[in-house]
Amino acid sequence: MKTIKAKMLLDRPVTEAVLDEAIERGKIRHRSALQATAVTFQEGCITVRFEDGTGVLLPVKHYPEFDGFEAKDYADLKVGLSGTALCNEEKDLHVSIAGMISVSKPLMNMAASVISSRNGRQSSAAKAEAARANGKKGGRPRKVEVIQ
């Protein structure tokens, strides 16, 4: 069995600096996380709205967690867990919004396409330097096939 040493000491005293650092980490996590603000149910679909005004429509037939739900149960759905889950306290239901979205193949394909496009535009300092060096030499060197 492998032993892993804890990287963070839980018994360190809470100072103003430690507290400020924790608050800043929380703000960064909040900005980068999925933040739903509202949920509604209409015509067999759950609509989840986010902080920026966007939303997603999720047909309940794809989610067995909602089998046996009635109109009142859907009306009692709330956004919980800091905007990351849909909750119904009477049914003791807490469903991850990201998990619900990941069930949809078309939504996942679209997300992969958007992420690929965004990542393809990113350039590091090393990439930029290599591109400049290759440009001075007349462009990217051609691949040479080695025949054995």
Side-chain angles (χ1 to χ4, degrees):
M1 177 162 70
K2 184 177 181 180
T3 303
I4 300 173
K5 187 174 179 181
K7 294 179 183 173
M8 192 171 198
L9 300 175
L10 298 177
D11 60 348
R12 75 179 188 182
V14 178
T15 63
E16 284 295 321
V18 170
L19 188 57
D20 291 341
E21 179 184 317
I23 290 170
E24 190 58 35
R25 277 197 320 265
K27 287 178 183 177
I28 291 169
R29 191 173 328 159
H30 178 77
R31 282 192 301 260
S32 64
L34 183 68
Q35 297 294 318
T37 56
V39 59
T40 56
F41 177 76
Q42 188 176 348
E43 299 176 20
C45 292
I46 292 173
T47 304
V48 180
R49 290 188 176 82
F50 301 99
E51 283 183 318
D52 66 352
T54 61
V56 64
L57 196 66
L58 304 166
V60 293
K61 65 183 180 185
H62 296 300
Y63 307 101
E65 295 87 353
F66 296 104
D67 289 347
F69 262 52
E70 297 176 9
K72 179 195 177 306
D73 299 322
Y74 288 113
D76 290 341
L77 271 179
K78 304 283 184 243
V79 175
L81 301 176
S82 298
T84 62
L86 300 182
C87 304
N88 181 309
E89 295 303 324
E90 286 200 18
K91 295 271 188 176
D92 193 27
L93 177 76
H94 302 86
V95 183
S96 162
I97 296 169
M100 292 177 69
I101 291 172
S102 71
V103 169
S104 171
K105 183 86 169 132
L107 284 177
M108 290 306 292
N109 289 343
M110 181 182 65
S113 175
V114 169
I115 289 168
S116 297
S117 173
R118 190 162 106 195
N119 287 344
R121 289 185 297 228
Q122 291 180 350
S123 181
S124 66
K127 274 183 171 179
E129 182 58 36
R132 282 191 290 276
N134 285 334
K136 289 177 184 175
K137 297 177 194 174
R140 178 184 293 239
R142 298 204 181 271
K143 290 184 180 180
V144 178
E145 288 187 33
V146 176
I147 300 173
Q148 296 178 347

